[in-house]
Coordinates of all heavy atoms in Angstrom, one line a residue:
N1 N 51.2 -85.7 137.2 CA 52.3 -86.6 137.0 C 53.5 -85.9 136.6 O 53.6 -85.1 135.6 CB 51.9 -87.6 135.8 CG 52.9 -88.7 135.7 OD1 54.0 -88.7 136.2 ND2 52.5 -89.7 134.9
P2 N 54.6 -86.0 137.4 CA 55.8 -85.2 137.1 C 56.5 -85.6 135.8 O 57.1 -84.8 135.1 CB 56.8 -85.5 138.3 CG 56.2 -86.8 138.8 CD 54.8 -86.8 138.6
V3 N 56.4 -86.9 135.4 CA 56.9 -87.3 134.1 C 56.2 -86.6 132.9 O 56.9 -86.1 132.0 CB 56.8 -88.8 134.0 CG1 57.4 -89.3 132.6 CG2 57.6 -89.5 135.1
S4 N 54.9 -86.6 133.0 CA 54.1 -85.9 132.0 C 54.5 -84.4 132.0 O 54.6 -83.7 130.9 CB 52.6 -86.0 132.2 OG 52.3 -87.4 132.2
G5 N 54.7 -83.8 133.2 CA 55.1 -82.4 133.2 C 56.4 -82.1 132.6 O 56.6 -81.1 131.9
I6 N 57.4 -83.0 132.8 CA 58.7 -82.9 132.1 C 58.6 -83.0 130.6 O 59.2 -82.2 129.9 CB 59.7 -83.9 132.7 CG1 60.0 -83.6 134.2 CG2 61.0 -83.9 131.9 CD1 60.8 -84.7 134.9
K7 N 57.7 -83.9 130.2 CA 57.5 -84.1 128.7 C 56.9 -82.8 128.1 O 57.3 -82.4 127.0 CB 56.6 -85.3 128.4 CG 57.3 -86.6 128.7 CD 56.3 -87.7 128.4 CE 57.0 -89.1 128.6 NZ 56.0 -90.2 128.3
R8 N 55.9 -82.2 128.8 CA 55.4 -81.0 128.3 C 56.4 -79.8 128.4 O 56.4 -79.0 127.5 CB 54.1 -80.6 129.2 CG 52.9 -81.5 129.0 CD 51.7 -80.8 129.6 NE 51.8 -80.6 131.0 CZ 51.4 -81.5 132.0 NH1 50.9 -82.6 131.6 NH2 51.6 -81.2 133.2
L9 N 57.3 -79.9 129.3 CA 58.3 -78.8 129.4 C 59.2 -78.8 128.3 O 59.7 -77.8 127.8 CB 59.1 -79.0 130.7 CG 60.1 -77.9 131.1 CD1 59.4 -76.6 131.3 CD2 60.8 -78.3 132.4
F10 N 59.5 -80.0 127.7 CA 60.5 -80.1 126.6 C 59.8 -80.5 125.3 O 60.4 -81.1 124.4 CB 61.5 -81.2 126.9 CG 62.5 -80.8 128.1 CD1 62.2 -81.2 129.3 CD2 63.5 -79.9 127.8 CE1 63.0 -80.8 130.4 CE2 64.4 -79.5 128.9 CZ 64.1 -80.0 130.1
S11 N 58.5 -80.2 125.2 CA 57.7 -80.5 124.0 C 57.9 -79.4 123.0 O 58.4 -78.3 123.2 CB 56.2 -80.7 124.4 OG 55.7 -79.4 124.9
L12 N 57.3 -79.7 121.8 CA 57.4 -78.7 120.7 C 56.6 -77.4 121.1 O 57.0 -76.3 120.8 CB 56.8 -79.3 119.4 CG 56.6 -78.4 118.2 CD1 58.0 -77.9 117.8 CD2 55.9 -79.1 117.1
R13 N 55.5 -77.6 121.8 CA 54.7 -76.5 122.2 C 55.5 -75.6 123.1 O 55.4 -74.3 123.0 CB 53.4 -77.0 122.9 CG 52.6 -75.8 123.6 CD 51.3 -76.4 124.1 NE 50.4 -76.7 123.0 CZ 49.6 -75.8 122.4 NH1 49.6 -74.6 122.8 NH2 48.8 -76.2 121.5
S14 N 56.2 -76.1 124.1 CA 57.0 -75.3 125.0 C 58.1 -74.6 124.2 O 58.4 -73.4 124.5 CB 57.6 -76.2 126.1 OG 56.6 -76.9 126.8
L15 N 58.7 -75.2 123.2 CA 59.7 -74.6 122.4 C 59.1 -73.4 121.7 O 59.7 -72.3 121.6 CB 60.3 -75.6 121.5 CG 61.4 -75.0 120.5 CD1 62.5 -74.4 121.3 CD2 61.8 -76.1 119.5
V16 N 57.9 -73.6 121.1 CA 57.2 -72.6 120.4 C 56.9 -71.4 121.3 O 57.0 -70.2 120.9 CB 56.0 -73.1 119.7 CG1 55.2 -72.0 119.0 CG2 56.4 -74.1 118.6
E17 N 56.4 -71.7 122.5 CA 56.1 -70.6 123.4 C 57.3 -69.8 123.8 O 57.3 -68.6 124.0 CB 55.4 -71.3 124.7 CG 54.1 -71.9 124.5 CD 53.0 -70.9 124.0 OE1 53.1 -69.7 124.4 OE2 52.1 -71.2 123.3
L18 N 58.4 -70.5 124.0 CA 59.7 -69.8 124.3 C 60.1 -68.9 123.2 O 60.5 -67.8 123.4 CB 60.8 -70.9 124.6 CG 62.2 -70.3 124.8 CD1 62.2 -69.4 126.1 CD2 63.2 -71.4 125.0
L19 N 60.0 -69.4 121.9 CA 60.4 -68.6 120.8 C 59.4 -67.4 120.6 O 59.9 -66.3 120.3 CB 60.3 -69.5 119.5 CG 61.4 -70.6 119.4 CD1 61.2 -71.4 118.1 CD2 62.8 -70.0 119.4
K20 N 58.2 -67.6 120.9 CA 57.2 -66.5 120.8 C 57.5 -65.4 121.9 O 57.4 -64.2 121.6 CB 55.8 -67.0 121.0 CG 55.2 -67.8 119.9 CD 53.7 -67.9 120.0 CE 53.3 -68.7 121.2 NZ 51.9 -68.9 121.3
T21 N 57.9 -65.9 123.1 CA 58.3 -64.9 124.1 C 59.5 -64.1 123.8 O 59.5 -62.9 123.9 CB 58.5 -65.7 125.5 OG1 57.3 -66.4 125.8 CG2 58.8 -64.7 126.6
L22 N 60.5 -64.8 123.2 CA 61.7 -64.1 122.8 C 61.4 -63.1 121.6 O 61.9 -62.0 121.6 CB 62.8 -65.1 122.3 CG 63.4 -66.0 123.5 CD1 64.3 -67.0 122.9 CD2 64.1 -65.1 124.5
A23 N 60.5 -63.6 120.7 CA 60.1 -62.8 119.6 C 59.4 -61.5 120.0 O 59.6 -60.4 119.6 CB 59.3 -63.6 118.6
K24 N 58.5 -61.7 121.0 CA 57.7 -60.6 121.5 C 58.7 -59.6 122.2 O 58.5 -58.4 122.0 CB 56.7 -61.1 122.5 CG 55.4 -61.7 121.9 CD 54.3 -61.8 122.9 CE 54.7 -62.9 123.9 NZ 53.6 -63.2 124.9
F25 N 59.6 -60.1 123.0 CA 60.5 -59.2 123.6 C 61.3 -58.4 122.6 O 61.5 -57.2 122.8 CB 61.5 -60.0 124.5 CG 62.5 -59.2 125.2 CD1 62.3 -58.4 126.3 CD2 63.9 -59.2 124.7 CE1 63.3 -57.7 126.9 CE2 64.8 -58.5 125.3 CZ 64.6 -57.7 126.4
L26 N 61.8 -59.1 121.6 CA 62.7 -58.4 120.6 C 61.8 -57.4 119.8 O 62.2 -56.3 119.6 CB 63.3 -59.4 119.6 CG 64.4 -60.3 120.3 CD1 64.8 -61.4 119.3 CD2 65.6 -59.5 120.8
V27 N 60.7 -57.8 119.3 CA 59.8 -57.0 118.5 C 59.3 -55.8 119.3 O 59.4 -54.6 118.8 CB 58.7 -57.8 117.9 CG1 57.7 -56.9 117.1 CG2 59.2 -58.8 116.9
V28 N 58.7 -56.0 120.4 CA 58.2 -54.9 121.2 C 59.3 -54.0 121.7 O 59.2 -52.8 121.8 CB 57.4 -55.5 122.4 CG1 56.9 -54.4 123.3 CG2 56.2 -56.3 121.9
G29 N 60.4 -54.6 122.2 CA 61.6 -53.8 122.6 C 62.1 -52.9 121.5 O 62.4 -51.7 121.8
T30 N 62.2 -53.5 120.3 CA 62.7 -52.7 119.2 C 61.7 -51.6 118.9 O 62.1 -50.4 118.7 CB 62.9 -53.6 118.0 OG1 63.8 -54.6 118.3 CG2 63.4 -52.8 116.8
A31 N 60.4 -51.9 118.9 CA 59.4 -50.9 118.6 C 59.4 -49.8 119.7 O 59.3 -48.6 119.4 CB 58.1 -51.5 118.5
A32 N 59.7 -50.2 121.0 CA 59.7 -49.2 122.0 C 60.9 -48.3 121.9 O 60.8 -47.0 122.1 CB 59.7 -49.9 123.4
V33 N 62.0 -48.8 121.6 CA 63.2 -48.0 121.4 C 63.0 -47.0 120.3 O 63.3 -45.8 120.4 CB 64.5 -48.9 121.2 CG1 65.7 -48.0 120.8 CG2 64.8 -49.7 122.4
L34 N 62.6 -47.5 119.1 CA 62.3 -46.6 118.0 C 61.3 -45.5 118.3 O 61.4 -44.4 117.9 CB 61.9 -47.4 116.8 CG 62.9 -48.4 116.2 CD1 62.3 -49.2 115.1 CD2 64.2 -47.6 115.7
L35 N 60.2 -45.9 119.0 CA 59.2 -45.0 119.4 C 59.7 -43.9 120.3 O 59.4 -42.7 120.2 CB 58.0 -45.7 120.0 CG 56.7 -44.9 120.2 CD1 56.2 -44.3 118.9 CD2 55.7 -45.7 120.9

């Protein structure tokens, strides 16, 4: 169902997954530069 898909896309879980991805990029990137 495309409507359910859009709801999942803009759900709290999707927001959390996006924040986790950005956090991983920042944390791992920073650790890689320092290393």
Side-chain angles (χ1 to χ4, degrees):
N1 188 346
V3 177
S4 301
I6 293 174
K7 289 182 179 179
R8 289 194 299 268
L9 185 62
F10 294 97
S11 63
L12 176 61
R13 171 175 288 275
S14 299
L15 177 60
V16 172
E17 293 296 330
L18 176 61
L19 293 177
K20 285 194 301 183
T21 302
L22 294 175
K24 282 192 292 185
F25 176 76
L26 292 175
V27 173
V28 176
T30 302
V33 171
L34 294 176
L35 186 63

